[in-house]
């Protein structure tokens, strides 16, 4: 009963098929517009496209591969260029893999959404070592807080950075035993042998 390019929907109404849109001016179903064509509404554009600056263009989470817009690659997926990665999640193509930049980590938000977030600084909350700045060298996630890795570093409280533990004979701040690998800074401000337990 329906005219060309339409079908009878479950509501018993003649509706345009998926590759067509209803044109109010002509009262007909017209073929959806392809990438780069002039439009006045997103309903005129093909799947995964929106009408932006009067052109049918890919949505932010897709990119154009003739003749369609296809989903961008998510975290951990392979890529050949950053434009293929889902930039709405903050992803970039590094070593042919979509991942967060070196200043970010893959985070799960409280609502379950996953996205690239800025690395956590010393004293900020974390769930894994990789959440923290300098986790590859001097920082660990301890009791859900980014802290200096006490096996080789101490916190320089003035500059708020992790500094390597000092060796025997190195100068230290008297009474700041934590600066020394031996955990013993004597009255002459020198790291000395650990006190026997």
């Amino acid at each position: 009963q329906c005219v060309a390019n339409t079908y009878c929907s479950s509501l018993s109404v003649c509706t345009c098929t998926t590759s067509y849109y209803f044109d109010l001016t002509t009262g007909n179903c017209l073929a959806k517009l392809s990438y780069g064509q002039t439009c006045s509404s997103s309903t005129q554009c093909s799947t995964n496209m929106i009408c932006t600056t009067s052109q049918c263009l890919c949505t932010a989470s897709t990119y154009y591969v003739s003749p369609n817009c296809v989903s961008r690659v998510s975290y951990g997926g392979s890529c050949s260029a950053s434009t293929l990665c889902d930039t709405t999640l903050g992803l970039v193509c590094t070593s042919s893999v979509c991942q967060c930049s070196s200043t970010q980590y893959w985070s799960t938000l409280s609502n379950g959404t996953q996205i690239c977030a800025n690395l956590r600084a010393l004293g900020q909350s974390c769930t894994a070592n990789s959440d923290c700045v300098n986790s590859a060298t001097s920082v660990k996630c301890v009791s859900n807080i980014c802290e200096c890795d006490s096996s080789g570093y101490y916190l320089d409280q003035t500059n708020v950075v992790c500094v390597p533990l000092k060796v025997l004979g190195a100068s230290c701040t008297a009474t700041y035993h934590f600066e020394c690998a031996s955990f013993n800074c004597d009255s002459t401000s020198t790291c000395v042998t650990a006190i026997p337990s």
Side-chain angles (χ1 to χ4, degrees):
Q1 297 170 312
C2 298
V3 297
N5 304 322
T6 65
Y7 69 99
C8 188
S9 73
S10 58
L11 300 173
S12 300
V13 175
C14 290
T15 306
C16 296
T17 57
T18 55
S19 56
Y20 289 80
Y21 72 94
F22 185 74
D23 182 61
L24 293 171
T25 307
T26 64
N28 295 317
C29 289
L30 302 179
K32 286 195 174 182
L33 304 173
S34 59
Y35 185 82
Q37 287 190 300
T38 303
C39 58
S40 58
S41 167
S42 291
T43 56
Q44 299 173 318
C45 301
S46 296
T47 305
N48 291 335
M49 292 185 198
I50 55 172
C51 188
T52 304
T53 61
S54 300
Q55 280 188 303
C56 287
L57 301 173
C58 297
T59 61
S61 61
T62 63
Y63 66 98
Y64 186 67
V65 178
S66 183
N68 303 310
C69 290
V70 296
S71 294
R72 291 188 186 276
V73 181
S74 192
Y75 183 78
S78 60
C79 57
S80 57
S82 289
T83 53
L84 304 181
C85 299
D86 192 340
T87 53
T88 63
L89 303 176
L91 297 171
V92 294
C93 187
T94 305
S95 302
S96 300
V97 176
C98 287
Q99 54 193 310
C100 301
S101 71
S102 60
T103 61
Q104 297 185 313
Y105 71 102
W106 189 239
S107 172
T108 302
L109 304 178
S110 57
N111 65 3
T113 303
Q114 292 187 298
I115 193 167
C116 290
N118 290 336
L119 288 170
R120 311 300 286 164
L122 287 170
Q124 291 185 317
S125 63
C126 55
T127 56
N129 290 339
S130 58
D131 298 355
C132 303
V133 171
N134 297 326
S135 63
T137 54
S138 59
V139 181
K140 300 285 182 212
C141 184
V142 180
S143 301
N144 294 336
I145 300 293
C146 292
E147 295 181 1
C148 295
D149 179 2
S150 61
S151 67
Y153 297 85
Y154 72 92
L155 176 65
D156 176 336
Q157 297 174 357
T158 304
N159 300 310
V160 193
V161 293
C162 296
V163 178
L165 290 171
K166 296 178 179 179
V167 297
L168 293 177
S171 64
C172 53
T173 306
T175 70
Y176 280 17
H177 301 292
F178 60 83
E179 292 181 0
C180 303
S182 62
F183 291 101
N184 189 7
C185 182
D186 71 5
S187 59
T188 65
S189 298
T190 305
C191 288
V192 295
T193 307
I195 300 169
S197 49

